[in-house]
Amino acid sequence: MTVKQSAGGAGGGGGSAVCLVCKESCSGFQPHSWRKACTVCGCSTVDHAPGSDVEDDQQMGRLLADSPCSHLTAKVKGGGGLRMYKRNRMIVTNPVVSRKDPTFNTTTYDWAPAGLNQKLAMQYMELIPESQRTVSGTEGALERRRQLLSQLPAYDQDPMKCQSLASEEEISSMLLFVKHYKQEVLGVGEVALPGEGDTLKEAANQRTAKEAKDRSNSDKKDSLEHQDHGSAGTNAAGSANGTDDGTKTEYRCAGCHGEVAKESPAVYAERAGYCSALWHPTCFVCSECGQGLVDLVYFWSNQKLFCGRHYCQTVWPRCSGCDELIFCQSFHTAKDGRTWHHHHYCCWKCGQTLDTPFEIYRCCCLSEE
């Protein structure tokens, strides 16, 4: 099924992206001043999927930079150190035989696992439900963008995208948190056949050695230039663990514990150990929300896979009003466990604070229901 999506602004900006829930009843995405929602229809920013491929790749580049996954990014020329996600696209061309001269059907995938030949990549895609295949211009491609916005919100990684950080202390707390998860938790799944964990591990070790060498050369160069130009450094790390699995005769999915056929592509996660665990493509999901991990980006914590959103929520509370993480010490907690910044615990319609039962009672919007 082919869909049309109007171009919209970045996650927090204005645009004409029509709501995917309300359809034509929404005239176009108009962002609330601080809620991640549309003022026209009330649905979330995610339900409008505003943005563009370039914005998506820039955001992913920022996320993966300064992490063991930085090899999946490239420096932006003249970008002041910014990095762009090297998203792997796949174009499949099949000949159509007819009585006349042969023609070709071309299918473009907005994303496909990196480092695979086309045959294995297509095997992977065929294991994914058709509605989730990232064929350009289809519901699957649009769902990928929604997942990028939902699972990896920009305001979980970049203080500049946050509106609720009220002090230098909160900004510092967020920066330290982001630095920690990039180095210790964040990863990108890799697709290979069962039994190829050792090969992936060796490739990761080579990347780590190369990055260490590049850092060393960069440090030497910076040291020589320090007296005239100052110094600069980079920080990247890699890790690999697990034991040899080359002698195994049977492979089990770490998700469903079912058997993984030797000729069927599986997903590996470096943080979990290349030779310790693998997953069926449909089992590589967030342990909290059950969604497939977009572009195979995972957060590994307590021996579980998480999407970015739900990992962050295991460490810091999330405001139910603005959807940003709460880094301040004092906040409102409801009986059902949901949390708010104090100034965001208010009526959606009029903004009347709901901090006390009396104020809830006197909110005029309740009488309109």
Side-chain angles (χ1 to χ4, degrees):
M1 177 182 178
T2 301
V3 295
K4 293 182 179 180
Q5 179 69 11
S6 301
S16 59
V18 175
C19 182
L20 303 174
V21 176
C22 300
K23 307 295 183 182
E24 289 77 12
S25 63
C26 176
S27 59
F29 180 59
Q30 296 297 327
H32 188 275
S33 60
W34 53 265
R35 297 183 192 274
K36 309 303 185 290
C38 174
T39 58
V40 177
C41 66
C43 293
S44 71
T45 300
V46 172
D47 290 327
H48 293 75
S52 66
D53 287 344
V54 172
E55 291 169 335
D56 293 342
D57 292 345
Q58 288 174 341
Q59 180 179 324
M60 187 74 84
R62 285 192 295 268
L63 175 65
L64 300 181
D66 302 317
S67 81
C69 309
S70 60
H71 64 282
L72 297 174
T73 68
K75 287 184 179 180
V76 177
K77 188 175 181 180
L82 292 178
R83 304 189 72 88
M84 180 78 81
Y85 178 39
K86 295 188 295 186
R87 175 160 50 96
N88 187 54
R89 299 172 179 85
M90 180 170 67
I91 299 176
V92 180
T93 302
N94 295 311
V96 178
V97 180
S98 65
R99 294 179 181 178
K100 300 179 180 180
D101 294 336
T103 57
F104 297 89
N105 279 338
T106 300
T107 303
T108 301
Y109 290 83
D110 284 353
W111 172 88
L116 305 182
N117 60 50
Q118 191 172 97
K119 179 180 178 181
L120 192 59
M122 283 306 301
Q123 280 184 270
Y124 172 87
M125 287 298 179
E126 288 167 2
L127 293 172
I128 301 295
E130 187 173 359
S131 62
Q132 297 175 22
R133 295 174 193 167
T134 57
V135 177
S136 183
T138 68
E139 292 281 2
L142 189 55
E143 180 59 23
R144 173 182 172 270
R145 170 160 292 154
R146 295 180 71 181
Q147 288 184 327
L148 285 171
L149 293 169
S150 176
Q151 295 184 17
L152 305 170
Y155 42 87
D156 279 6
Q157 55 167 293
D158 185 357
M160 296 296 290
K161 301 294 184 180
C162 299
Q163 295 179 295
S164 301
L165 297 174
S167 67
E168 290 296 326
E169 183 180 359
E170 291 177 32
I171 294 173
S172 178
S173 294
M174 180 175 184
L175 290 173
L176 288 173
F177 171 60
V178 172
K179 181 179 180 180
H180 168 77
Y181 75 57
K182 284 190 175 188
Q183 290 299 319
E184 305 295 335
V185 184
L186 175 66
V188 177
E190 298 168 77
V191 177
L193 294 175
E196 294 184 344
D198 283 330
T199 303
L200 296 177
K201 180 179 178 180
E202 179 60 27
N205 288 338
Q206 291 178 3
R207 284 197 304 268
T208 302
K210 182 179 184 300
E211 289 168 359
K213 182 178 179 180
D214 291 344
R215 281 201 308 275
S216 177
N217 291 338
S218 177
D219 290 343
K220 289 178 181 178
K221 181 179 178 181
D222 291 337
S223 178
L224 292 173
E225 297 177 351
H226 177 72
Q227 53 186 322
D228 295 320
H229 304 288
S231 62
T234 59
N235 183 23
S239 64
N241 51 31
T243 56
D244 182 14
D245 73 338
T247 59
K248 287 184 179 180
T249 58
E250 184 180 83
Y251 299 88
R252 294 281 173 180
C253 173
C256 71
H257 306 295
E259 185 174 359
V260 181
K262 289 185 178 181
E263 67 279 4
S264 180
V267 184
Y268 290 81
E270 182 180 3
R271 300 281 188 190
Y274 283 124
C275 304
S276 301
L278 51 72
W279 286 261
H280 292 115
T282 52
C283 294
F284 198 70
V285 301
C286 173
S287 60
E288 182 67 24
C289 64
Q291 287 190 0
L293 296 168
V294 64
D295 288 18
L296 301 181
V297 176
Y298 68 88
F299 288 65
W300 182 251
S301 178
N302 295 322
Q303 303 299 304
K304 293 181 180 180
L305 294 169
F306 290 91
C307 66
R309 167 177 291 275
H310 288 108
Y311 165 72
C312 291
Q313 290 176 199
T314 67
V315 183
W316 295 92
R318 187 179 297 279
C319 177
S320 295
C322 70
D323 200 47
E324 294 176 16
L325 298 173
I326 301 175
F327 291 94
C328 55
Q329 297 299 313
S330 178
F331 53 89
H332 182 89
T333 303
K335 291 181 179 180
D336 62 4
R338 288 186 296 167
T339 52
W340 285 265
H341 292 104
H342 283 298
H343 57 290
H344 289 162
Y345 188 61
C346 60
C347 174
W348 208 102
K349 290 186 177 181
C350 68
Q352 168 69 51
T353 179
L354 305 177
D355 225 8
T356 69
F358 175 72
E359 288 165 332
I360 293 175
Y361 173 77
R362 75 180 184 182
C363 178
C364 60
C365 297
L366 292 177
S367 63
E368 298 175 4
E369 298 295 330

